[in-house]
Amino acid sequence: MEKTIQELLAGIRFPVYLAPMEGVTDRAFRLVCKGKGADVLISEFISSDALSREVDKSMKKMRFDERERPFGIQIFGHDEQSLVTAARMAEEAAPDFIDINWGCPVKKVVNKGAGSAILKDISKMERLTSAVVKAVHLPVTVKTRLGWDSSDKPIVEVAERMQDVGVQAIAIHGRTRAQMYGGEADWNLIGEAKANPRLHIPVIGNGDIDSAEKALRCKEQYGVDAVMIGRAAIGNPWIFEQVKGLLNGIEVPLPSYETRVEAVLQQLRLAEAEKGERRAVLEMRTQYAGYFRGLYNFKPVRLRLMGALTIEECEDILRSYSIN
């Protein structure tokens, strides 16, 4: 019998998830974050329609390293048949759980009735989720938002209904679809969902966790069972170490320049093995600002990195910088 989510996380005092982010949380970045303390990793989101058609790019997104466990594969879609097919295909890849994305606010996803579009039809959300739960043996979790807009935030009811169809944990991003990624995340409603006496599955809080102090504050103030960190981890995988340290009363210092360089090179080489050198170098350009934020006069170095085409060039440029 497959392990439940609670069994998978047994022994972890306060799980810290790396949020799935399209175009960011590839296997290379996930492994770097895992090495820095991330407890649970999830794939980039994968279209159920694309999986059903066995599109190569989507099939590749299901690949993961054994070091990433506990690991989940996240799927999204709007059609019951394709979601069920995708869930079964994901199960064959042998992750630890399957996650359904009912929260993506991006227009091209929403226009197809997937992601956060489902929040306009909770009965359909319930029906499709139930079909996935029944189709697989692995635990199923859900990631969603508070609701569609400021006039419609049914998350307390949604969480309960997801539990009732067999979902084993729910991650709640504290924004509506209308907010996209703007404004502030509303953790009060996340706390309300967690405080619902009829809700017994773990609640994972997500939204604006940008420091270890905030992660612990959300744990203590809203009672969530875990937190999920997304944008704040881009170029800053040490945030996971900092959260874990603070849980134990230890303040983990900011990484040295040399430590940052080694993490960048590690990510580049992991990505090279999976995607080839050129693509690895090009995709890394979006993360330099995060990795080297706050360093004096680093902008000229970053501009040089943006023109580099090989990992050797990147390393030479990074080694040439003097922090003094």
Side-chain angles (χ1 to χ4, degrees), residues 26-310:
D26 59 10
R27 182 161 44 175
F29 183 63
R30 295 194 308 259
L31 281 168
V32 171
C33 290
K34 187 71 172 183
K36 304 301 180 187
D39 294 306
V40 185
L41 305 176
I42 304 172
S43 72
E44 297 174 81
F45 74 164
I46 307 172
S47 164
S48 61
D49 290 339
L51 269 188
S52 299
R53 300 194 309 272
E54 298 188 4
V55 174
D56 187 55
K57 182 179 178 181
S58 295
M59 299 290 285
K60 287 180 178 178
K61 282 185 179 180
M62 292 196 295
R63 297 176 184 170
F64 65 97
D65 189 290
E66 284 296 311
R67 291 172 290 175
E68 296 185 62
R69 295 188 186 277
F71 179 79
I73 291 177
Q74 187 183 78
I75 59 175
F76 75 96
H78 64 92
D79 172 76
E80 180 176 328
Q81 183 176 348
S82 66
L83 271 171
V84 165
T85 299
R88 287 172 172 159
M89 292 175 72
E91 185 171 47
E92 290 176 4
D96 297 290
F97 62 97
I98 293 168
D99 187 67
I100 306 175
N101 183 317
W102 290 137
C104 179
V106 176
K107 188 175 181 180
K108 68 178 182 180
V109 172
V110 169
N111 283 351
K112 293 180 179 179
S116 56
I118 203 75
L119 290 166
K120 292 190 290 184
D121 188 347
I122 305 305
S123 293
K124 182 178 179 182
M125 181 186 192
E126 190 174 38
R127 175 171 57 82
L128 296 185
T129 303
S130 178
V132 170
V133 170
K134 292 173 181 175
V136 297
H137 300 288
L138 288 172
V140 175
T141 64
V142 160
K143 185 173 190 288
T144 190
R145 289 184 169 232
L146 302 178
W148 180 254
D149 57 27
S150 60
S151 67
D152 181 27
K153 300 179 181 179
I155 188 58
V156 175
E157 176 193 354
V158 166
E160 192 175 332
R161 288 173 73 167
M162 291 297 96
Q163 171 183 262
D164 290 348
V165 298
V167 165
Q168 292 194 20
I170 184 167
I172 304 172
H173 182 101
R175 289 181 172 86
T176 63
R177 189 274 165 171
Q179 284 181 276
M180 300 294 286
Y181 298 102
E184 290 186 12
D186 182 356
W187 276 78
N188 289 317
L189 271 175
I190 297 176
E192 282 187 35
K194 173 59 187 173
N196 179 359
R198 293 183 296 275
L199 193 73
H200 308 295
I201 60 174
V203 172
I204 305 147
N206 174 229
D208 298 344
I209 299 289
D210 55 10
S211 68
E213 290 77 13
K214 190 160 187 179
L216 264 64
R217 190 160 63 247
C218 288
K219 172 184 182 291
E220 293 163 3
Q221 187 169 348
Y222 303 103
V224 291
D225 301 284
V227 291
M228 180 177 281
I229 300 176
R231 289 175 290 174
I234 300 174
N236 181 28
W238 297 278
I239 192 169
F240 298 102
E241 286 182 339
Q242 291 161 356
V243 174
K244 307 308 274 191
L246 203 56
L247 272 171
N248 294 305
I250 301 168
E251 187 172 340
V252 176
L254 292 173
S256 66
Y257 178 72
E258 292 75 17
T259 299
R260 301 183 200 202
V261 170
E262 290 309 316
V264 166
L265 295 176
Q266 178 192 10
Q267 188 172 334
L268 279 167
R269 288 166 183 145
L270 286 167
E272 178 190 22
E274 187 173 355
K275 305 176 180 181
E277 183 176 39
R278 182 174 178 82
R279 187 175 166 194
V281 170
L282 292 176
E283 291 184 356
M284 193 69 198
R285 291 175 179 177
T286 62
Q287 298 200 33
Y288 290 129
Y291 267 114
F292 301 106
R293 183 173 289 115
L295 294 185
Y296 174 72
N297 200 31
F298 192 80
K299 185 176 180 180
V301 181
R302 184 163 59 84
L303 291 175
R304 290 174 62 198
L305 286 168
M306 299 300 278
L309 296 175
T310 68

